[in-house]
Amino acid sequence: IDMAKIKAGFITHMHPDHVDSLTSFSKLYAQFTNFIYAPASVDIFMPSGIDAFKSWLDALNLPMSDRMTITKINEGTFYDDGNLKVTAIPTEHMKEIGQPTYAFVFEAEGKKVLFTGDLAGDFHDFPIGDHYDLIVCELAHGDVKSVERCVTESDCERVVFYHMSTDPF
């Protein structure tokens, strides 16, 4: 990916397998770096942990410049740059510990993509609703039959599964 083209990052939830590279990415925007490796600025959107993340960057001696902003996600449309609109839909992946998790709907150029993020094991929080040109759905925490029902009930043209589990269901 051409780093100069990245203008924003969207984090579904605060689990290591979803945010581990965020510290390295943030290093590109630290006060001591120049513009060679990163675009002028980037906006990162997270559901929680912003103060803890900033403290971690400080502990690593990576003080942030004003070229990177970190903003808390709330339900609903939270990003719209005139080309891309992003809407957060709450999910229940980390409900037991009271942490927010989100699926995202990306809209651009007349297309609509649903990116589910991690969902509950029975997929009861799968955001069935509008027509989607593409659904990108995680498949690590539930069974195939449950997600099959969700995809069948969804109005979509294509589905891509990611984050597959090795556990047999």
Side-chain angles (χ1 to χ4, degrees):
I1 297 172
D2 180 353
M3 293 297 293
K5 292 183 179 179
I6 298 174
K7 298 188 190 299
F10 309 97
I11 309 298
T12 59
H13 65 286
M14 301 305 288
H15 270 163
D17 59 326
H18 292 262
V19 297
D20 276 348
S21 62
L22 189 55
T23 301
S24 296
F25 181 80
S26 299
K27 183 178 180 180
L28 298 172
Y29 297 90
Q31 290 177 359
F32 60 82
T33 62
N34 58 34
F35 293 88
I36 294 173
Y37 301 110
S41 64
V42 70
D43 299 316
I44 301 294
F45 297 88
M46 305 167 72
S48 62
I50 293 173
D51 290 339
F53 180 67
K54 287 180 178 179
S55 293
W56 178 240
L57 292 176
D58 285 343
L60 295 173
N61 196 31
L62 294 173
M64 299 312 303
S65 72
D66 59 1
R67 294 189 302 127
M68 181 174 177
T69 63
I70 304 173
T71 304
K72 185 178 186 303
I73 295 170
N74 291 304
E75 180 178 358
T77 300
F78 66 92
Y79 183 86
D80 190 343
D81 68 1
N83 295 310
L84 175 66
K85 181 171 117 176
V86 184
T87 302
I89 301 170
T91 62
E92 297 184 12
H93 177 58
M94 294 171 57
K95 182 179 180 180
E96 314 80 52
I97 60 171
Q99 290 295 312
T101 59
Y102 293 98
F104 297 133
V105 176
F106 296 92
E107 297 177 74
E109 299 180 5
K111 301 285 185 181
K112 203 171 192 180
V113 175
L114 170 65
F115 183 90
T116 67
D118 287 352
L119 298 169
D122 63 359
F123 292 93
H124 72 271
D125 54 345
F126 186 100
I128 297 171
D130 297 337
H131 166 78
Y132 299 108
D133 296 282
L134 173 67
I135 294 175
V136 181
C137 179
E138 71 86 18
L139 196 56
H141 305 288
D143 64 83
V144 174
K145 288 294 182 197
S146 293
V147 77
E148 179 182 31
R149 175 193 54 80
C150 298
V151 170
T152 301
E153 292 177 15
S154 296
D155 179 16
C156 69
E157 295 182 24
R158 291 187 174 93
V159 179
V160 173
F161 294 108
Y162 75 100
H163 201 194
M164 308 287 223
S165 173
T166 57
D167 294 335
F169 290 105

